[in-house]
Amino acid sequence: MSAYDDLMAFQRETEALSSVAERLGWDQETVMPRGAVEQRAEELGAMETVLHDRRTDPRIGEWLDAAKPQTEVEQRAVELIARDYDRASRVPSKLASELARQTSLAQGIWAEARLNDTPETFLPTLDAILMLKREEAAHLSGGGDPYDALLDLFEPGAKAAELAALFDAMRPRLVDLREAILGAENQPPALQGTYPHDTQIRLARDCATAFGYDWARGRMDIAVHPFSSGRWQDSRITTRVVETDPFNCIYSTIHETGHSGYEQGIDEDYAFTPLGRGVSMGVHESQSRIYENQLGRGRAFTGWLFQRMGEAFDDLGVADADAFYRIVNRVTPGYIRTESDEVQYNLHVMLRFDLERDLVAGKLSVEDLPEAWNARFLKDFGVAVDRPANGVLQDVHWAVGLFGYFPTYALGNVYAGCLNRALRDALPDLDGALARGDASPATEWLRENLQRHGGLMEPRALIEQASGGEVSPEPLLDYLEEKFGRIYGL
Amino acid sequence: MSAYDDLMAFQRETEALSSVAERLGWDQETVMPRGAVEQRAEELGAMETVLHDRRTDPRIGEWLDAAKPQTEVEQRAVELIARDYDRASRVPSKLASELARQTSLAQGIWAEARLNDTPETFLPTLDAILMLKREEAAHLSGGGDPYDALLDLFEPGAKAAELAALFDAMRPRLVDLREAILGAENQPPALQGTYPHDTQIRLARDCATAFGYDWARGRMDIAVHPFSSGRWQDSRITTRVVETDPFNCIYSTIHETGHSGYEQGIDEDYAFTPLGRGVSMGVHESQSRIYENQLGRGRAFTGWLFQRMGEAFDDLGVADADAFYRIVNRVTPGYIRTESDEVQYNLHVMLRFDLERDLVAGKLSVEDLPEAWNARFLKDFGVAVDRPANGVLQDVHWAVGLFGYFPTYALGNVYAGCLNRALRDALPDLDGALARGDASPATEWLRENLQRHGGLMEPRALIEQASGGEVSPEPLLDYLEEKFGRIYGL
């Protein structure tokens, strides 16, 4: 066995163990008995210890020094392992385990504070986590920008300054569009009535199938907060059902199908190698978002969906497919990021991005965070936050230490905009297929041009190769202005 | 930290990891996508490697040498860890991994051979596995009896010679009882009709509840071959549904509730220590069997079940609770162990026990096994095996290397007989509660006298303490002769 072979064999086992830990997380959120909380924490803790020991195993360093990769793929595999090893080795074990312990406890404290609308019971915990994350960022950055070091964990190669410039360029057009929409005369109504649970699930399954989800390598379950989980031959989705709002179930499903479909689309030869996962959170989000929005909420696909929902439910109470399309794409004021529409979503993300940059840089204290949140929300959305659960307490991310994660949501939307333009150019007849409930031409194009490559290229290079141009916010903004301009008669 | 504390902390992590591996097995048999077979094999293989490395970690030997346990419980924990460490250290790693590899492959080969009724496609594989198991047994036994060394893995302290004497004493009375029953004039009919899936599941849930299953620490799913899985706060059961035979679902469920209820009943202080699991396969089977048979198939509980099934299904077509009781306890000729009744079950087990002892001892070759099986079946059951799938190919056990496991089924029945006698003496009003669908007095008695102790005592000592006397086959045989003598008017 060469050093390269040893390295890859070791990595393969680590990938398999990491996949096991992820499967445990799925189990916890979908099927685990409610009384098994302590046991599961201990099981996950034991897996984390094993994985941490492997990620920092000094043999990796020796193999890396001696490895002689022969091909581009081998070269990239070595590069990715070296990057992870470098990261894992920089963070002291004691700090890593303290972070794991604190963020595990913080999740419950956050949930309780959100439930009771008591930020004061959560902010001291958040402060402790922020201090640990700043320490981690200092270790990771090695003298560079600490926030960039955290961002790099989710979006390799991205820089906060570039993202800030990108977002600053987008914000005015989004704010203007939002204001124009909310000021328009002709506002679409909301869907009325209740829609039975089982019928929603059946429709959601049909939608996942329409977007090419491979049921032999996945399944769908119910979760409080929908997520997707797994890779290769076992990539599962979840959804939720709100009986008064069938779009919640349907578009959660299509969104998660985008994530899982990406994993299912990766070249099988990369399975359980460092190239065998989606390459970044931003690219992942581009796949879920283009499925959910540019394709799933387009006029063509909603035409098919209108027909299917009309058959499935006794009385939809919607006149025709055009009215249905307007209802699906309804824009209303709201506090909550996860319930937001295509237009306002990025504004929610940008708010968090700016605040967390200041937190990590030490320019904003946790104590002043609620006030900063509320001031910024008023500025961007023109509405005052009514209570902390609708403001600073709404997202779990910071409680579990996810600083540097939020901007990947908006970046994913920008990527989706670029991909959508290229996809539409390449497939002029796509809407014909979508109108028949068949998204497979789009799925095949994404698979061929993007998904199959897994971790072979860096995120930005991958998007630029697939979309045939520079990453830019223009396609997304043009698409939004055109789509919502028509819907709202702007 | 003392050496004892280090040892127990290390063990605790090993128990947690082992629990994770077991949860993966559950996932595979219940919810895993069908296309995930290769991935799951790799995940389980990686977990097995981690667990094997831990079980043979030389630090365990050092800690064991230096540990100073203070209490009876600590002493027992050290003893159990020492036993496992001794076992793991005796078997060379190469042999252990070759066994894991071969038995993993053999399962598919066996399934295919059974499906196609082609023993010749499976026997060479079985021969290879037997050779490896004989090698393993030689390492484990250290010069003692090889079969005893394998048996000890499942029933610590049991000896093949003692079991053989026990079974030889039972066989004539079982053979006589079987013949008398099958020769009786008045044979109960089979249940007619079809019984909807969901209603069966609802009834099965009620039965698990009646036997004290804690749903907050478990759940029920569907599996091809029902099993139970897990411990402590997460002990899950499975069942299956045959629409023409609701007893399959109901009694599979009650059986698995016995296994899972045992795990749920173990003292919480023992969780993730070596005392925190059921102490042996025989004791485990005693709990599943007493629930299923002595309690679940008794006249009192079936009276309640008759009423519930009458309410649940449109037309049961059974005149009264006495007729129903006879149908539940119907004895008919059959080839298959798992479909067998209380009377014939042990005869199936004894056949396998004698054959596998000869295989391990080298007195019987795999080549001659089918003929030996058929000859013995004819002798004990008076019927010729019609095809290999109904004979030597029916059980998966040998294919996956489980030599020494079968006798624990019959031993479990003997234990259940002893426990049932003590339980009935202690709870003279038990039938009154069972007739109301309430098995909790029995569950509480078993929990107090047996289950809560976990691995604290050796199996035989535990049964003798709980039942207040020597382990003997008399209570079981007396019970069977009396019960079936009445049913069949012998």
PDB file of all heavy atoms in Angstrom, chain A residues 12 19 27 31 35 38-39 42-43 216 219 231-233 236, chain B residues 12 19 27 31 33 35 38-39 42-43 216 219 231 233 236:
ATOM      1  N   ARG A  12     -11.733   6.895   4.097  1.00  0.00           N
ATOM      2  CA  ARG A  12     -12.968   6.204   3.742  1.00  0.00           C
ATOM      3  C   ARG A  12     -13.714   5.746   4.994  1.00  0.00           C
ATOM      4  O   ARG A  12     -14.927   5.890   5.089  1.00  0.00           O
ATOM      5  CB  ARG A  12     -12.612   4.999   2.860  1.00  0.00           C
ATOM      6  CG  ARG A  12     -13.762   4.457   2.117  1.00  0.00           C
ATOM      7  CD  ARG A  12     -13.404   3.467   1.022  1.00  0.00           C
ATOM      8  NE  ARG A  12     -14.656   3.028   0.459  1.00  0.00           N
ATOM      9  CZ  ARG A  12     -15.255   3.596  -0.584  1.00  0.00           C
ATOM     10  NH1 ARG A  12     -14.678   4.570  -1.227  1.00  0.00           N
ATOM     11  NH2 ARG A  12     -16.440   3.165  -0.996  1.00  0.00           N
ATOM     12  N   SER A  19     -20.895   9.531   8.283  1.00  0.00           N
ATOM     13  CA  SER A  19     -22.219   9.247   7.738  1.00  0.00           C
ATOM     14  C   SER A  19     -23.114   8.594   8.803  1.00  0.00           C
ATOM     15  O   SER A  19     -24.315   8.875   8.878  1.00  0.00           O
ATOM     16  CB  SER A  19     -22.055   8.338   6.517  1.00  0.00           C
ATOM     17  OG  SER A  19     -23.286   7.902   6.036  1.00  0.00           O
ATOM     18  N   ASP A  27     -32.273  10.232  12.800  1.00  0.00           N
ATOM     19  CA  ASP A  27     -33.111   9.416  13.682  1.00  0.00           C
ATOM     20  C   ASP A  27     -33.689  10.282  14.798  1.00  0.00           C
ATOM     21  O   ASP A  27     -34.880  10.213  15.117  1.00  0.00           O
ATOM     22  CB  ASP A  27     -32.257   8.277  14.248  1.00  0.00           C
ATOM     23  CG  ASP A  27     -33.045   7.280  15.066  1.00  0.00           C
ATOM     24  OD1 ASP A  27     -33.275   7.533  16.262  1.00  0.00           O
ATOM     25  OD2 ASP A  27     -33.428   6.238  14.507  1.00  0.00           O
ATOM     26  N   VAL A  31     -37.667   9.872  14.192  1.00  0.00           N
ATOM     27  CA  VAL A  31     -38.304   8.666  14.744  1.00  0.00           C
ATOM     28  C   VAL A  31     -37.922   8.359  16.186  1.00  0.00           C
ATOM     29  O   VAL A  31     -38.530   7.490  16.814  1.00  0.00           O
ATOM     30  CB  VAL A  31     -37.981   7.409  13.883  1.00  0.00           C
ATOM     31  CG1 VAL A  31     -38.597   7.532  12.495  1.00  0.00           C
ATOM     32  CG2 VAL A  31     -36.483   7.167  13.785  1.00  0.00           C
ATOM     33  N   GLY A  35     -38.242   9.890  25.014  1.00  0.00           N
ATOM     34  CA  GLY A  35     -37.527   9.679  26.271  1.00  0.00           C
ATOM     35  C   GLY A  35     -36.056   9.328  26.101  1.00  0.00           C
ATOM     36  O   GLY A  35     -35.361   9.026  27.065  1.00  0.00           O
ATOM     37  N   GLU A  38     -31.169  11.753  26.663  1.00  0.00           N
ATOM     38  CA  GLU A  38     -29.841  11.624  27.285  1.00  0.00           C
ATOM     39  C   GLU A  38     -29.001  10.554  26.595  1.00  0.00           C
ATOM     40  O   GLU A  38     -27.815  10.728  26.359  1.00  0.00           O
ATOM     41  CB  GLU A  38     -29.986  11.210  28.749  1.00  0.00           C
ATOM     42  CG  GLU A  38     -30.560  12.261  29.659  1.00  0.00           C
ATOM     43  CD  GLU A  38     -31.051  11.606  30.939  1.00  0.00           C
ATOM     44  OE1 GLU A  38     -30.235  11.383  31.847  1.00  0.00           O
ATOM     45  OE2 GLU A  38     -32.261  11.283  31.016  1.00  0.00           O
ATOM     46  N   GLN A  39     -29.644   9.432  26.299  1.00  0.00           N
ATOM     47  CA  GLN A  39     -28.910   8.351  25.643  1.00  0.00           C
ATOM     48  C   GLN A  39     -28.347   8.807  24.304  1.00  0.00           C
ATOM     49  O   GLN A  39     -27.179   8.553  23.980  1.00  0.00           O
ATOM     50  CB  GLN A  39     -29.834   7.143  25.446  1.00  0.00           C
ATOM     51  CG  GLN A  39     -29.160   6.008  24.687  1.00  0.00           C
ATOM     52  CD  GLN A  39     -29.950   4.723  24.730  1.00  0.00           C
ATOM     53  OE1 GLN A  39     -30.850   4.555  25.560  1.00  0.00           O
ATOM     54  NE2 GLN A  39     -29.616   3.794  23.856  1.00  0.00           N
ATOM     55  N   GLU A  42     -25.346  10.989  24.572  1.00  0.00           N
ATOM     56  CA  GLU A  42     -24.136  10.235  24.879  1.00  0.00           C
ATOM     57  C   GLU A  42     -23.624   9.478  23.649  1.00  0.00           C
ATOM     58  O   GLU A  42     -22.409   9.381  23.425  1.00  0.00           O
ATOM     59  CB  GLU A  42     -24.421   9.272  26.032  1.00  0.00           C
ATOM     60  CG  GLU A  42     -23.300   9.326  27.038  1.00  0.00           C
ATOM     61  CD  GLU A  42     -23.583   8.584  28.319  1.00  0.00           C
ATOM     62  OE1 GLU A  42     -24.621   8.857  28.954  1.00  0.00           O
ATOM     63  OE2 GLU A  42     -22.755   7.737  28.682  1.00  0.00           O
ATOM     64  N   GLU A  43     -24.538   8.948  22.859  1.00  0.00           N
ATOM     65  CA  GLU A  43     -24.134   8.244  21.637  1.00  0.00           C
ATOM     66  C   GLU A  43     -23.451   9.207  20.658  1.00  0.00           C
ATOM     67  O   GLU A  43     -22.400   8.887  20.091  1.00  0.00           O
ATOM     68  CB  GLU A  43     -25.357   7.589  20.988  1.00  0.00           C
ATOM     69  CG  GLU A  43     -25.888   6.398  21.782  1.00  0.00           C
ATOM     70  CD  GLU A  43     -27.287   5.953  21.375  1.00  0.00           C
ATOM     71  OE1 GLU A  43     -27.941   6.683  20.595  1.00  0.00           O
ATOM     72  OE2 GLU A  43     -27.738   4.899  21.839  1.00  0.00           O
ATOM     73  N   ALA A 216     -35.367   4.929  -4.333  1.00  0.00           N
ATOM     74  CA  ALA A 216     -34.609   3.733  -3.945  1.00  0.00           C
ATOM     75  C   ALA A 216     -33.401   4.104  -3.102  1.00  0.00           C
ATOM     76  O   ALA A 216     -32.818   3.254  -2.430  1.00  0.00           O
ATOM     77  CB  ALA A 216     -34.159   2.963  -5.192  1.00  0.00           C
ATOM     78  N   ARG A 219     -35.871   8.437   1.354  1.00  0.00           N
ATOM     79  CA  ARG A 219     -37.215   8.303   1.874  1.00  0.00           C
ATOM     80  C   ARG A 219     -37.639   9.664   2.413  1.00  0.00           C
ATOM     81  O   ARG A 219     -36.818  10.565   2.545  1.00  0.00           O
ATOM     82  CB  ARG A 219     -37.306   7.229   2.951  1.00  0.00           C
ATOM     83  CG  ARG A 219     -36.315   7.402   4.096  1.00  0.00           C
ATOM     84  CD  ARG A 219     -36.476   6.310   5.145  1.00  0.00           C
ATOM     85  NE  ARG A 219     -37.655   6.542   5.946  1.00  0.00           N
ATOM     86  CZ  ARG A 219     -38.618   5.654   6.119  1.00  0.00           C
ATOM     87  NH1 ARG A 219     -38.543   4.471   5.539  1.00  0.00           N
ATOM     88  NH2 ARG A 219     -39.672   5.934   6.851  1.00  0.00           N
ATOM     89  N   ARG A 231     -26.078  10.929   2.102  1.00  0.00           N
ATOM     90  CA  ARG A 231     -25.332  11.029   0.851  1.00  0.00           C
ATOM     91  C   ARG A 231     -25.432   9.722   0.079  1.00  0.00           C
ATOM     92  O   ARG A 231     -26.023   8.773   0.560  1.00  0.00           O
ATOM     93  CB  ARG A 231     -23.865  11.303   1.176  1.00  0.00           C
ATOM     94  CG  ARG A 231     -23.225  10.180   1.982  1.00  0.00           C
ATOM     95  CD  ARG A 231     -21.794  10.487   2.355  1.00  0.00           C
ATOM     96  NE  ARG A 231     -21.707  11.136   3.647  1.00  0.00           N
ATOM     97  CZ  ARG A 231     -20.566  11.369   4.285  1.00  0.00           C
ATOM     98  NH1 ARG A 231     -19.420  11.049   3.737  1.00  0.00           N
ATOM     99  NH2 ARG A 231     -20.565  11.930   5.472  1.00  0.00           N
ATOM    100  N   TRP A 232     -24.851   9.696  -1.089  1.00  0.00           N
ATOM    101  CA  TRP A 232     -24.635   8.487  -1.881  1.00  0.00           C
ATOM    102  C   TRP A 232     -25.912   7.660  -2.046  1.00  0.00           C
ATOM    103  O   TRP A 232     -26.810   8.076  -2.730  1.00  0.00           O
ATOM    104  CB  TRP A 232     -23.486   7.697  -1.240  1.00  0.00           C
ATOM    105  CG  TRP A 232     -23.006   6.474  -2.003  1.00  0.00           C
ATOM    106  CD1 TRP A 232     -23.241   6.192  -3.320  1.00  0.00           C
ATOM    107  CD2 TRP A 232     -22.216   5.384  -1.478  1.00  0.00           C
ATOM    108  NE1 TRP A 232     -22.630   4.992  -3.627  1.00  0.00           N
ATOM    109  CE2 TRP A 232     -22.007   4.475  -2.536  1.00  0.00           C
ATOM    110  CE3 TRP A 232     -21.670   5.094  -0.235  1.00  0.00           C
ATOM    111  CZ2 TRP A 232     -21.282   3.287  -2.368  1.00  0.00           C
ATOM    112  CZ3 TRP A 232     -20.945   3.919  -0.073  1.00  0.00           C
ATOM    113  CH2 TRP A 232     -20.749   3.034  -1.141  1.00  0.00           C
ATOM    114  N   GLN A 233     -25.983   6.512  -1.388  1.00  0.00           N
ATOM    115  CA  GLN A 233     -27.134   5.624  -1.576  1.00  0.00           C
ATOM    116  C   GLN A 233     -28.243   5.876  -0.554  1.00  0.00           C
ATOM    117  O   GLN A 233     -29.236   5.148  -0.536  1.00  0.00           O
ATOM    118  CB  GLN A 233     -26.678   4.162  -1.447  1.00  0.00           C
ATOM    119  CG  GLN A 233     -25.696   3.729  -2.513  1.00  0.00           C
ATOM    120  CD  GLN A 233     -25.250   2.294  -2.319  1.00  0.00           C
ATOM    121  OE1 GLN A 233     -25.198   1.778  -1.200  1.00  0.00           O
ATOM    122  NE2 GLN A 233     -24.920   1.624  -3.418  1.00  0.00           N
ATOM    123  N   ARG A 236     -31.878  11.217   2.629  1.00  0.00           N
ATOM    124  CA  ARG A 236     -33.287  11.275   3.008  1.00  0.00           C
ATOM    125  C   ARG A 236     -33.793  12.707   3.130  1.00  0.00           C
ATOM    126  O   ARG A 236     -33.039  13.593   3.500  1.00  0.00           O
ATOM    127  CB  ARG A 236     -33.488  10.548   4.348  1.00  0.00           C
ATOM    128  CG  ARG A 236     -32.939   9.137   4.311  1.00  0.00           C
ATOM    129  CD  ARG A 236     -33.155   8.382   5.618  1.00  0.00           C
ATOM    130  NE  ARG A 236     -32.443   7.093   5.558  1.00  0.00           N
ATOM    131  CZ  ARG A 236     -32.443   6.186   6.528  1.00  0.00           C
ATOM    132  NH1 ARG A 236     -33.122   6.410   7.644  1.00  0.00           N
ATOM    133  NH2 ARG A 236     -31.780   5.057   6.386  1.00  0.00           N
TER     134      ARG A 236
ATOM    135  N   ARG B  12     -17.861   3.007  28.990  1.00  0.00           N
ATOM    136  CA  ARG B  12     -19.095   3.741  28.750  1.00  0.00           C
ATOM    137  C   ARG B  12     -19.163   4.217  27.293  1.00  0.00           C
ATOM    138  O   ARG B  12     -20.204   4.119  26.641  1.00  0.00           O
ATOM    139  CB  ARG B  12     -19.151   4.933  29.703  1.00  0.00           C
ATOM    140  CG  ARG B  12     -20.498   5.518  29.830  1.00  0.00           C
ATOM    141  CD  ARG B  12     -20.653   6.500  30.966  1.00  0.00           C
ATOM    142  NE  ARG B  12     -22.011   6.987  30.891  1.00  0.00           N
ATOM    143  CZ  ARG B  12     -23.042   6.443  31.540  1.00  0.00           C
ATOM    144  NH1 ARG B  12     -22.865   5.455  32.371  1.00  0.00           N
ATOM    145  NH2 ARG B  12     -24.264   6.909  31.358  1.00  0.00           N
ATOM    146  N   SER B  19     -24.155   0.688  21.002  1.00  0.00           N
ATOM    147  CA  SER B  19     -25.573   1.024  20.881  1.00  0.00           C
ATOM    148  C   SER B  19     -25.854   1.702  19.536  1.00  0.00           C
ATOM    149  O   SER B  19     -26.893   1.468  18.907  1.00  0.00           O
ATOM    150  CB  SER B  19     -25.959   1.934  22.054  1.00  0.00           C
ATOM    151  OG  SER B  19     -27.265   2.409  21.924  1.00  0.00           O
ATOM    152  N   ASP B  27     -32.198   0.367  11.761  1.00  0.00           N
ATOM    153  CA  ASP B  27     -32.508   1.201  10.600  1.00  0.00           C
ATOM    154  C   ASP B  27     -32.543   0.357   9.327  1.00  0.00           C
ATOM    155  O   ASP B  27     -33.456   0.463   8.505  1.00  0.00           O
ATOM    156  CB  ASP B  27     -31.446   2.312  10.500  1.00  0.00           C
ATOM    157  CG  ASP B  27     -31.744   3.334   9.417  1.00  0.00           C
ATOM    158  OD1 ASP B  27     -31.404   3.072   8.248  1.00  0.00           O
ATOM    159  OD2 ASP B  27     -32.308   4.390   9.743  1.00  0.00           O
ATOM    160  N   VAL B  31     -36.336   0.921   8.041  1.00  0.00           N
ATOM    161  CA  VAL B  31     -36.604   2.142   7.269  1.00  0.00           C
ATOM    162  C   VAL B  31     -35.585   2.425   6.172  1.00  0.00           C
ATOM    163  O   VAL B  31     -35.805   3.305   5.342  1.00  0.00           O
ATOM    164  CB  VAL B  31     -36.674   3.391   8.202  1.00  0.00           C
ATOM    165  CG1 VAL B  31     -37.876   3.293   9.136  1.00  0.00           C
ATOM    166  CG2 VAL B  31     -35.391   3.578   8.986  1.00  0.00           C
ATOM    167  N   PRO B  33     -33.564   2.859   2.862  1.00  0.00           N
ATOM    168  CA  PRO B  33     -33.898   2.702   1.447  1.00  0.00           C
ATOM    169  C   PRO B  33     -33.255   1.424   0.896  1.00  0.00           C
ATOM    170  O   PRO B  33     -32.138   1.068   1.285  1.00  0.00           O
ATOM    171  CB  PRO B  33     -33.273   3.929   0.793  1.00  0.00           C
ATOM    172  CG  PRO B  33     -33.065   4.920   1.888  1.00  0.00           C
ATOM    173  CD  PRO B  33     -32.850   4.123   3.127  1.00  0.00           C
ATOM    174  N   GLY B  35     -31.877   0.782  -1.797  1.00  0.00           N
ATOM    175  CA  GLY B  35     -30.657   0.950  -2.585  1.00  0.00           C
ATOM    176  C   GLY B  35     -29.418   1.243  -1.763  1.00  0.00           C
ATOM    177  O   GLY B  35     -28.347   1.505  -2.318  1.00  0.00           O
ATOM    178  N   GLU B  38     -24.909  -1.344  -0.023  1.00  0.00           N
ATOM    179  CA  GLU B  38     -23.435  -1.260   0.025  1.00  0.00           C
ATOM    180  C   GLU B  38     -22.967  -0.221   1.033  1.00  0.00           C
ATOM    181  O   GLU B  38     -22.021  -0.432   1.785  1.00  0.00           O
ATOM    182  CB  GLU B  38     -22.875  -0.871  -1.341  1.00  0.00           C
ATOM    183  CG  GLU B  38     -23.008  -1.922  -2.407  1.00  0.00           C
ATOM    184  CD  GLU B  38     -22.840  -1.262  -3.776  1.00  0.00           C
ATOM    185  OE1 GLU B  38     -21.679  -1.078  -4.189  1.00  0.00           O
ATOM    186  OE2 GLU B  38     -23.856  -0.910  -4.412  1.00  0.00           O
ATOM    187  N   GLN B  39     -23.644   0.930   1.005  1.00  0.00           N
ATOM    188  CA  GLN B  39     -23.247   1.987   1.926  1.00  0.00           C
ATOM    189  C   GLN B  39     -23.382   1.532   3.370  1.00  0.00           C
ATOM    190  O   GLN B  39     -22.485   1.746   4.188  1.00  0.00           O
ATOM    191  CB  GLN B  39     -24.114   3.232   1.676  1.00  0.00           C
ATOM    192  CG  GLN B  39     -23.830   4.341   2.671  1.00  0.00           C
ATOM    193  CD  GLN B  39     -24.469   5.662   2.282  1.00  0.00           C
ATOM    194  OE1 GLN B  39     -24.867   5.856   1.140  1.00  0.00           O
ATOM    195  NE2 GLN B  39     -24.548   6.577   3.225  1.00  0.00           N
ATOM    196  N   GLU B  42     -20.668  -0.762   4.502  1.00  0.00           N
ATOM    197  CA  GLU B  42     -19.427  -0.047   4.795  1.00  0.00           C
ATOM    198  C   GLU B  42     -19.509   0.704   6.124  1.00  0.00           C
ATOM    199  O   GLU B  42     -18.534   0.759   6.884  1.00  0.00           O
ATOM    200  CB  GLU B  42     -19.119   0.915   3.649  1.00  0.00           C
ATOM    201  CG  GLU B  42     -17.679   0.762   3.226  1.00  0.00           C
ATOM    202  CD  GLU B  42     -17.312   1.524   1.981  1.00  0.00           C
ATOM    203  OE1 GLU B  42     -17.936   1.290   0.939  1.00  0.00           O
ATOM    204  OE2 GLU B  42     -16.373   2.333   2.067  1.00  0.00           O
ATOM    205  N   GLU B  43     -20.666   1.275   6.404  1.00  0.00           N
ATOM    206  CA  GLU B  43     -20.845   1.975   7.677  1.00  0.00           C
ATOM    207  C   GLU B  43     -20.727   1.006   8.850  1.00  0.00           C
ATOM    208  O   GLU B  43     -20.034   1.284   9.843  1.00  0.00           O
ATOM    209  CB  GLU B  43     -22.204   2.683   7.697  1.00  0.00           C
ATOM    210  CG  GLU B  43     -22.268   3.878   6.753  1.00  0.00           C
ATOM    211  CD  GLU B  43     -23.684   4.377   6.489  1.00  0.00           C
ATOM    212  OE1 GLU B  43     -24.653   3.685   6.874  1.00  0.00           O
ATOM    213  OE2 GLU B  43     -23.815   5.436   5.869  1.00  0.00           O
ATOM    214  N   ALA B 216     -42.632   5.880  25.608  1.00  0.00           N
ATOM    215  CA  ALA B 216     -41.744   7.051  25.630  1.00  0.00           C
ATOM    216  C   ALA B 216     -40.294   6.627  25.432  1.00  0.00           C
ATOM    217  O   ALA B 216     -39.439   7.444  25.114  1.00  0.00           O
ATOM    218  CB  ALA B 216     -41.886   7.806  26.944  1.00  0.00           C
ATOM    219  N   ARG B 219     -40.594   2.372  20.286  1.00  0.00           N
ATOM    220  CA  ARG B 219     -41.536   2.555  19.199  1.00  0.00           C
ATOM    221  C   ARG B 219     -41.719   1.217  18.494  1.00  0.00           C
ATOM    222  O   ARG B 219     -40.958   0.276  18.733  1.00  0.00           O
ATOM    223  CB  ARG B 219     -41.083   3.631  18.225  1.00  0.00           C
ATOM    224  CG  ARG B 219     -39.696   3.416  17.651  1.00  0.00           C
ATOM    225  CD  ARG B 219     -39.309   4.521  16.677  1.00  0.00           C
ATOM    226  NE  ARG B 219     -39.993   4.321  15.414  1.00  0.00           N
ATOM    227  CZ  ARG B 219     -40.758   5.242  14.827  1.00  0.00           C
ATOM    228  NH1 ARG B 219     -40.924   6.419  15.369  1.00  0.00           N
ATOM    229  NH2 ARG B 219     -41.353   4.987  13.682  1.00  0.00           N
ATOM    230  N   ARG B 231     -31.640  -0.505  24.085  1.00  0.00           N
ATOM    231  CA  ARG B 231     -31.556  -0.619  25.526  1.00  0.00           C
ATOM    232  C   ARG B 231     -31.957   0.695  26.185  1.00  0.00           C
ATOM    233  O   ARG B 231     -32.228   1.669  25.508  1.00  0.00           O
ATOM    234  CB  ARG B 231     -30.114  -0.957  25.916  1.00  0.00           C
ATOM    235  CG  ARG B 231     -29.145   0.130  25.504  1.00  0.00           C
ATOM    236  CD  ARG B 231     -27.727  -0.237  25.842  1.00  0.00           C
ATOM    237  NE  ARG B 231     -27.077  -0.901  24.718  1.00  0.00           N
ATOM    238  CZ  ARG B 231     -25.764  -1.181  24.680  1.00  0.00           C
ATOM    239  NH1 ARG B 231     -24.995  -0.894  25.714  1.00  0.00           N
ATOM    240  NH2 ARG B 231     -25.222  -1.759  23.639  1.00  0.00           N
ATOM    241  N   GLN B 233     -33.009   3.934  27.286  1.00  0.00           N
ATOM    242  CA  GLN B 233     -34.087   4.863  26.938  1.00  0.00           C
ATOM    243  C   GLN B 233     -34.608   4.659  25.515  1.00  0.00           C
ATOM    244  O   GLN B 233     -35.463   5.412  25.065  1.00  0.00           O
ATOM    245  CB  GLN B 233     -33.573   6.311  27.050  1.00  0.00           C
ATOM    246  CG  GLN B 233     -33.161   6.720  28.439  1.00  0.00           C
ATOM    247  CD  GLN B 233     -32.636   8.153  28.486  1.00  0.00           C
ATOM    248  OE1 GLN B 233     -32.068   8.637  27.516  1.00  0.00           O
ATOM    249  NE2 GLN B 233     -32.835   8.812  29.617  1.00  0.00           N
ATOM    250  N   ARG B 236     -36.557  -0.558  20.951  1.00  0.00           N
ATOM    251  CA  ARG B 236     -37.635  -0.565  19.956  1.00  0.00           C
ATOM    252  C   ARG B 236     -38.078  -1.983  19.600  1.00  0.00           C
ATOM    253  O   ARG B 236     -37.268  -2.898  19.609  1.00  0.00           O
ATOM    254  CB  ARG B 236     -37.165   0.161  18.693  1.00  0.00           C
ATOM    255  CG  ARG B 236     -36.667   1.555  18.988  1.00  0.00           C
ATOM    256  CD  ARG B 236     -36.225   2.314  17.752  1.00  0.00           C
ATOM    257  NE  ARG B 236     -35.583   3.574  18.140  1.00  0.00           N
ATOM    258  CZ  ARG B 236     -35.105   4.473  17.293  1.00  0.00           C
ATOM    259  NH1 ARG B 236     -35.177   4.250  15.983  1.00  0.00           N
ATOM    260  NH2 ARG B 236     -34.548   5.576  17.733  1.00  0.00           N
TER     261      ARG B 236
END
